[in-house]
Amino acid sequence: MLHINPKMLDRLEELETDLLARLRRADEENWLGEVEGINLTLTFLRAKREETQRRARRPAVDLGIPTARKKEDH
């Protein structure tokens, strides 16, 4: 699954604004398939934005670099 860099949240806002304008046009022209597709895209965009905002609020955890265990003599 792709994660969006929180720095790109402004770009998601621009995309949403553009999609809403396209949705109005498609609705005015009665392009039902286009309306359905844009609504689906808006749903995914909004979910991705919410996920990115949620991830940005959580602190990163450093798990370190794994190392090989030394074999113990028995």
Side-chain angles (χ1 to χ4, degrees), residues 44-56:
F44 289 133
L45 182 141
R46 290 170 177 156
K48 189 58 77 170
R49 181 181 53 219
E50 289 171 12
E51 174 193 340
T52 302
Q53 289 169 335
R54 192 170 43 255
R55 285 182 56 240

Side-chain angles (χ1 to χ4, degrees), residues 5 10 12 15 29-30 32 34-35 37 51-54 62 72 74:
N5 186 330
D10 289 339
L12 289 180
L15 290 171
E29 299 290 338
N30 202 28
L32 301 181
E34 186 75 10
V35 168
E51 174 193 340
T52 302
Q53 289 169 335
R54 192 170 43 255
D62 183 11
E72 294 181 24
H74 292 284

Side-chain angles (χ1 to χ4, degrees), residues 1-69:
M1 177 179 232
L2 296 177
H3 294 289
I4 295 176
N5 186 330
K7 294 176 185 176
M8 298 302 293
L9 284 171
D10 289 339
R11 179 67 178 131
L12 289 180
E13 297 296 329
E14 291 174 21
L15 290 171
E16 183 178 26
T17 299
D18 181 59
L19 284 167
L20 290 171
R22 289 177 54 197
L23 179 61
R24 282 189 295 276
R25 170 83 190 280
D27 201 31
E28 290 168 0
E29 299 290 338
N30 202 28
W31 298 334
L32 301 181
E34 186 75 10
V35 168
E36 183 178 350
I38 293 171
N39 281 328
L40 186 60
T41 302
L42 280 167
T43 299
F44 289 133
L45 182 141
R46 290 170 177 156
K48 189 58 77 170
R49 181 181 53 219
E50 289 171 12
E51 174 193 340
T52 302
Q53 289 169 335
R54 192 170 43 255
R55 285 182 56 240
R57 287 190 298 269
R58 291 190 312 219
V61 176
D62 183 11
L63 299 176
I65 298 175
T67 58
R69 294 183 186 176

